[in-house]
Amino acid sequence: MKKIFISLSLLIYSVNTIAFNGIEDYETTRTKAMAGAGVASILLNEAPLFNPASIVFFNKSSLYYQKDSNKLKKTSSTRTSDFKTEQNELVLFTDTSAAFKGGLTYQYQNEQAGKRSRISTSLARNLGKKSAIGLTYRYTQEDSAVIDD
């Protein structure tokens, strides 16, 4: 029974991984450089995106802007697909001066899988000396292979 459960679980998770054809979650330059490991770390600019509770451990505010694009330069006569230029943009503001600390973000992604605009706000508050709780609200408009409006 245990082997069947493990086999079924692996099959379900592998199908979900292979079948995904949507827009990836936004990554800052730091999380790209850390291969995604930055999601669990305490970083001021990434806190409103990934871990809003960690913002309470900072005593400064910030304004962060990132714009990146990907373009396929070399073309090949054997390639049948047309690859478009990808453009991503992020504006992020964090404020730690009030009792409720938080951030406001705007993300725009124009990728091969589609387009996404997202506005999000996050709030965090201390629960104790070494603990905090955070909340994020996101509003997303997406036109992709997975979601079609």
Side-chain angles (χ1 to χ4, degrees):
M1 184 71 173
K2 186 176 180 181
K3 288 182 181 181
I4 294 172
F5 178 73
I6 291 172
S7 299
L8 188 60
S9 297
L10 289 173
L11 178 67
I12 290 171
Y13 288 121
S14 63
V15 168
N16 287 339
T17 304
I18 294 167
F20 181 75
N21 193 22
I23 300 171
E24 296 289 330
D25 284 334
Y26 198 92
E27 292 182 324
T28 63
T29 53
R30 185 177 290 170
T31 52
K32 285 180 185 180
M34 296 176 72
V39 173
S41 62
I42 299 176
L43 305 167
L44 180 63
N45 290 331
E46 286 80 359
L49 297 173
F50 306 122
N51 187 5
S54 65
I55 201 169
V56 301
F57 301 107
F58 291 95
N59 292 323
K60 57 184 174 181
S61 300
S62 74
L63 178 63
Y64 179 80
Y65 176 76
Q66 176 181 321
K67 183 175 183 178
D68 58 81
S69 62
N70 299 324
K71 184 176 182 179
L72 185 64
K73 290 186 178 182
K74 294 185 179 182
T75 58
S76 171
S77 60
T78 60
R79 185 176 294 120
T80 58
S81 298
D82 184 28
F83 292 92
K84 69 177 186 178
T85 301
E86 296 181 357
Q87 295 179 336
N88 301 311
E89 201 165 357
L90 170 70
V91 179
L92 188 145
F93 173 72
T94 55
D95 181 30
T96 62
S97 62
F100 280 98
K101 302 177 181 190
L104 181 67
T105 63
Y106 171 74
Q107 303 169 35
Y108 175 75
Q109 295 172 269
N110 186 0
E111 297 184 356
Q112 192 69 28
K115 295 180 183 180
R116 175 191 289 160
S117 294
R118 176 179 284 167
I119 297 171
S120 63
T121 184
S122 59
L123 295 171
R125 180 143 174 107
N126 282 8
L127 291 179
K129 194 173 187 179
K130 295 182 180 180
S131 62
I133 188 167
L135 173 73
T136 299
Y137 176 78
R138 294 180 179 161
Y139 175 75
T140 304
Q141 289 183 327
E142 183 173 324
D143 181 22
S144 69
V146 176
I147 299 173
D148 191 15
D149 291 337

